[in-house]
């Protein structure tokens, strides 16, 4: 299956996150999954791609053309395949359409935007693909608490939390994605 992984593009993040990203990329490839990602060579994105590349995994990088032109993001040079888009919105659509499931790793505004968009689309019935948050060192604890508070204050319904799962362990997270994706794919045959 192809798994979209969202994460930081920053080269300033702690090396611990980079190491976790490399290990996740390796594990995806070892399990025979393709990596679909934003195409960057820095931060979590670059780490994931490096790990998948080391294990000879399939890597699809999806990059807006203007990133190349502006030098805003250096693309990972060893992708198996690239898709270039005109806009960030098109990039997000391509990431969604080319994936069977999603992993959210630590990141900034872009990562949070991608998580909430993919979650909203699932809530609206636009897809039924599994969403997993990889909670490395409790990075997403406050996000999870915010979701609980939003439920408590009735801004969102409780069943929204059933649309995604939070994991501290990458093996359990990948088993979840594999099980839910298999069930989802079988239901649509």
């Amino acid at each position: 299956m192809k798994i979209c992984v969202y994460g930081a593009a920053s080269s300033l993040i702690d090396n611990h996150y980079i190491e976790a990203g490399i290990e996740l990329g390796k594990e995806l490839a070892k399990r025979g999954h393709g990596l679909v990602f934003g195409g960057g060579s820095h931060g979590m994105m670059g780490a994931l791609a490096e790990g998948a590349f080391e294990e000879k995994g399939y890597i699809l990088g999806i990059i807006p053309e203007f990133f190349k032109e502006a030098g805003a993001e250096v693309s990972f040079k060893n992708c198996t395949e690239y898709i270039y888009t005109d806009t960030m919105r098109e990039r997000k659509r391509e990431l969604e359409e080319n994936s069977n499931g999603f992993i959210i790793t630590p990141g900034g505004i872009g990562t949070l935007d991608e998580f909430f968009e993919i979650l909203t689309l699932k809530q609206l019935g636009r897809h039924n693909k599994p969403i997993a948050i990889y909670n490395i060192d409790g990075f997403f604890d406050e996000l999870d608490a915010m979701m609980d508070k939003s439920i408590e204050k009735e801004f969102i319904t409780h069943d929204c939390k059933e649309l995604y799962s939070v994991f501290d362990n990458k093996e359990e997270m990948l088993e979840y994605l594999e099980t839910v994706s298999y069930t989802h794919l079988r239901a649509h045959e």
Side-chain angles (χ1 to χ4, degrees):
M1 70 188 273
K2 291 182 183 176
I3 299 176
C4 177
V5 184
Y6 300 117
S10 172
S11 58
L12 303 175
I13 64 176
D14 188 275
N15 197 49
H16 177 72
Y17 295 108
I18 299 297
E19 291 170 6
I22 290 170
E23 291 306 312
L24 177 57
K26 286 180 179 181
E27 192 63 28
L28 285 169
K30 286 178 185 176
R31 289 174 176 247
H33 302 304
L35 170 65
V36 178
F37 78 122
S41 64
H42 299 298
M44 291 299 289
M45 281 200 283
L48 287 153
E50 188 59 44
F53 180 73
E54 285 180 28
E55 294 295 329
K56 299 174 179 41
Y58 172 84
I59 305 168
L60 172 59
I62 302 176
I63 309 164
E65 286 282 349
F66 70 85
F67 276 8
K68 291 191 313 183
E69 297 162 7
E73 184 176 340
V74 177
S75 63
F76 185 74
K77 302 296 183 212
N78 294 310
C79 290
T80 310
E81 186 177 355
Y82 297 92
I83 295 175
Y84 293 98
T85 64
D86 291 329
T87 67
M88 292 293 282
R89 287 186 179 136
E90 289 175 17
R91 179 195 210 187
K92 289 192 292 184
R93 187 190 74 235
E94 290 291 341
L95 288 165
E96 177 205 343
E97 290 178 359
N98 283 282
S99 303
N100 306 106
F102 306 93
I103 297 173
I104 293 78
T105 66
I109 294 169
T111 303
L112 293 172
D113 172 53
E114 289 161 336
F115 166 61
F116 282 113
E117 180 167 328
I118 210 70
L119 179 62
T120 300
L121 290 171
K122 187 170 183 176
Q123 185 178 38
L124 295 172
R126 306 312 300 163
H127 75 84
N128 193 26
K129 301 171 187 178
I131 302 170
I133 294 177
Y134 190 17
N135 193 27
I136 301 168
D137 287 340
F139 185 87
F140 289 108
D141 287 351
E142 288 81 8
L143 175 70
D144 202 34
M146 183 198 74
M147 296 297 281
D148 288 336
K149 184 174 184 175
S150 297
I151 291 168
E152 175 190 327
K153 301 289 183 183
E154 298 184 344
F155 285 96
I156 58 177
T157 60
H158 187 274
D159 55 348
C160 181
K161 286 221 33 180
E162 296 172 13
L163 301 176
Y164 67 94
S165 293
V166 181
F167 296 89
D168 299 322
N169 178 288
K170 74 176 175 298
E171 286 81 13
E172 290 175 8
M173 177 179 65
L174 292 172
E175 288 171 16
Y176 161 79
L177 288 167
E178 291 163 350
T179 302
V180 173
S181 288
Y182 177 78
T183 303
H184 166 72
L185 292 172
R186 299 290 299 165
H188 288 84
E189 287 183 345

